[in-house]
Amino acid sequence: MPTITTKDETQIYYKDWGTGQPVVFSHGWPLSADDWDNQMLFFLRHGYRVIAHDRRGHGRSTQTSKGHDMDTYAQDAAAVADALNLRDAIHIGHSTGGGEVARYVARYGKGRVAKAVLVSSVPPLMVKTHKNPEGTLTGCFRFMPT
C-alpha cells in the first residue's frame, strides 16, 4: 500500500494514477479516497494525474484519536503533496475535504496550487474576526463587503 509518514508518525494512504497536471481529491467525513474513484477515472481518461488520500482516522490511513482538526488535515495534505512533488495542482474537496483544501491552499499552496474547488464544503473560518485575528485566507482572496 502506498503511504507517506507524517511528522507525528501517522501513515497516510494515497492513490496516485497517471501523468499530466495533478488533480488532488480530498474526501468528506467519514469517507475515504475510494469515494472519488469514478471522478478519478474520468480525469485519468482525460490526461490528468489523479491523487486521493485517506485522511487520518479514515480508510487505510492510521486510525488515530489525535489530529482531527483542519490544521492537521492540511498539514497531512501538504505532506502528501511534498512527497509526491505536486506542482500546478487542482485541489478538489468535498465536505470536510473542502475545509482541508481551503486550509491547505492558505497555508501550503503558494507556488503549488493552480485551482481549488470546494464542493458542499465545511471550510474553516476565512475572514478576520476577533476570534480569528489572522484570518485563514488573508492574501489569497479579497473579501468585499455586501
Side-chain angles (χ1 to χ4, degrees):
M1 269 190 349
T3 62
I4 60 100
T5 303
T6 65
K7 291 179 183 178
D8 70 354
E9 301 299 317
T10 300
Q11 294 287 311
I12 303 294
Y13 167 83
Y14 66 91
K15 298 177 180 188
D16 183 4
W17 305 337
T19 60
Q21 184 179 18
V23 179
V24 182
F25 297 91
S26 295
H27 64 78
W29 191 278
L31 307 173
S32 73
D34 294 343
D35 291 287
W36 289 109
D37 281 356
N38 287 333
Q39 292 79 12
M40 291 175 71
L41 290 170
F42 173 84
F43 282 100
L44 183 65
R45 283 191 302 267
H46 287 84
Y48 290 89
R49 177 182 178 189
V50 292
I51 298 104
H53 65 282
D54 288 348
R55 186 175 302 108
R56 64 174 52 224
H58 297 76
R60 290 150 290 210
S61 291
T62 300
Q63 302 300 308
T64 180
S65 62
K66 62 182 178 175
H68 293 283
D69 58 84
M70 290 299 173
D71 289 337
T72 306
Y73 294 159
Q75 189 174 28
D76 291 349
V80 172
D82 288 345
L84 299 179
N85 194 29
L86 301 181
R87 303 266 185 241
D88 195 32
I90 301 165
H91 288 263
I92 302 172
H94 167 252
S95 188
T96 304
E100 176 184 304
V101 167
R103 186 65 54 97
Y104 168 79
V105 169
R107 296 216 168 147
Y108 306 101
K110 187 173 183 173
R112 290 183 171 265
V113 176
K115 297 176 184 177
V117 180
L118 307 179
V119 181
S120 297
S121 295
V122 181
L125 181 62
M126 295 187 282
V127 297
K128 288 184 180 185
T129 67
H130 72 281
K131 290 184 178 181
N132 189 31
E134 295 181 27
T136 303
L137 299 177
T138 303
C140 292
F141 297 95
R142 181 176 175 184
F143 293 96
M144 302 296 287
T146 56

